[in-house]
Amino acid sequence: MTPAALAPLLMIASGSIHAVVNAIVKGGRDKMASRAVTDGSSAILLLPALLLVPLPHGAWWWLAATAVTHGFYLYALIRAYQVSDLSASYPVLRGTAPLVTAAVTIGILGEHVSTADIAGIALIGGSMFALVMGRHLGRAALGWSLATGLSIAAYTVIDAAGVRAAPTPFSYIVWLFVVMGAFTVTMFAILSKGALFGAARAQWRPGAIAGALSIVTYGLALYALSIGPTAPLAALRETGMVTALVIAIVFLKERVTQGRGVAVLGILAGAALILAG
């Protein structure tokens, strides 16, 4: 399979798994502890792999930049989940990301994409926002959701450059998870004044599962970014929202409104345009 065909498939799979990870984090009693256990577990799982991959020469500054950006992202994400429902904040924060990513990579960095790619990106982003039509999202929830979306766009651009600058994609992927795990646990431990560890003991099982899934979801995304264009791939990752809605409908017995149905069709149509382009 050619890189051009493989990268979109990897990103679509990444999006579906990402929806599951976010549901686990949102379901934790202490959102900060849940996220710290998730990232800490990812780091522990990949720690032995540091011996198997080369040092990420050429990507150290990208790793430092993404650690800081991911730190802000995680803090904003936790605050968004603390003040809103997952089904209300998730479409906003995920819908913002591909639109901003496209604006930066295409408008500023000059990445070449087709007209179909641009149309698909816009359709996916717009459809994500359509999912929250009619749902209450307070000022604080909207603010933190938008801040999360902006930080997702920022670390996507940073990581796309970093994974391409490293000696191998796997070198960057392994080092990213280890650095991020250490950074996240330290940051949240300081913010919670140590209370994080007590709450983490009660949530370690789902957190460990989410940590393993995080390696898969973002590992797939990073590898896809190493072989394909940033903007359309970032948009394709948001097709995971369709998976999230299917889970909600089939397992949680949520009702399919006309608006939801149209939004899902819009996301799928946007993905089809990108794949065709």
Side-chain angles (χ1 to χ4, degrees):
M1 184 178 292
T2 65
L6 178 61
L9 295 179
L10 293 177
M11 202 57 106
I12 291 171
S14 170
S16 293
I17 301 170
H18 184 267
V20 178
V21 173
N22 273 265
I24 293 174
V25 173
K26 171 63 178 175
R29 292 182 180 178
D30 187 312
K31 307 298 185 294
M32 195 173 290
S34 180
R35 189 69 227 197
V37 173
T38 296
D39 287 351
S41 299
S42 297
I44 292 171
L45 289 170
L46 283 181
L47 197 60
L50 291 179
L51 302 174
L52 304 176
V53 298
L55 292 172
H57 294 304
W60 289 113
W61 285 109
W62 295 116
L63 281 170
T66 199
V68 174
T69 307
H70 267 89
F72 178 77
Y73 152 71
L74 291 173
Y75 181 75
L77 178 70
I78 295 303
R79 293 300 302 270
Y81 284 171
Q82 286 174 338
V83 296
S84 66
D85 292 333
L86 177 67
S87 58
S89 59
Y90 190 72
V92 173
L93 62 92
R94 297 309 309 186
T96 304
L99 299 178
V100 176
T101 300
V104 172
T105 57
I106 299 171
I108 299 176
L109 302 181
E111 182 177 84
H112 175 72
V113 294
S114 67
T115 302
D117 286 335
I118 295 175
I121 293 166
L123 191 52
I124 288 175
S127 297
M128 294 287 285
F129 279 102
L131 286 170
V132 295
M133 294 294 290
R135 300 186 68 88
H136 175 70
L137 196 64
R139 183 177 298 178
L142 178 61
W144 284 116
S145 296
L146 290 174
T148 305
L150 290 173
S151 59
I152 292 171
Y155 76 63
T156 299
V157 175
I158 291 169
D159 287 338
V163 76
R164 294 164 189 165
T168 69
F170 297 108
S171 171
Y172 190 84
I173 291 168
V174 171
W175 276 91
L176 171 66
F177 278 105
V178 173
V179 169
M180 273 308 307
F183 186 90
T184 302
V185 172
T186 301
M187 179 182 72
F188 284 161
I190 293 172
L191 290 174
S192 67
K193 297 180 181 179
L196 165 80
F197 299 107
R201 281 196 293 269
Q203 300 178 200
W204 72 267
R205 286 186 179 87
I209 293 171
L213 291 174
S214 290
I215 295 172
V216 178
T217 179
Y218 204 50
L220 291 175
L222 287 171
Y223 190 78
L225 289 172
S226 74
I227 58 177
T230 304
L233 289 176
L236 280 177
R237 195 168 188 234
E238 308 317 324
T239 57
M241 193 65 214
V242 177
T243 301
L245 287 175
V246 170
I247 292 172
I249 294 166
V250 175
F251 295 100
L252 302 181
K253 307 303 180 184
E254 292 188 8
R255 187 169 58 90
V256 184
T257 64
Q258 184 177 3
R260 270 189 166 187
V262 171
V264 168
L265 290 176
I267 293 171
L268 293 176
L273 282 172
I274 293 172
L275 292 172

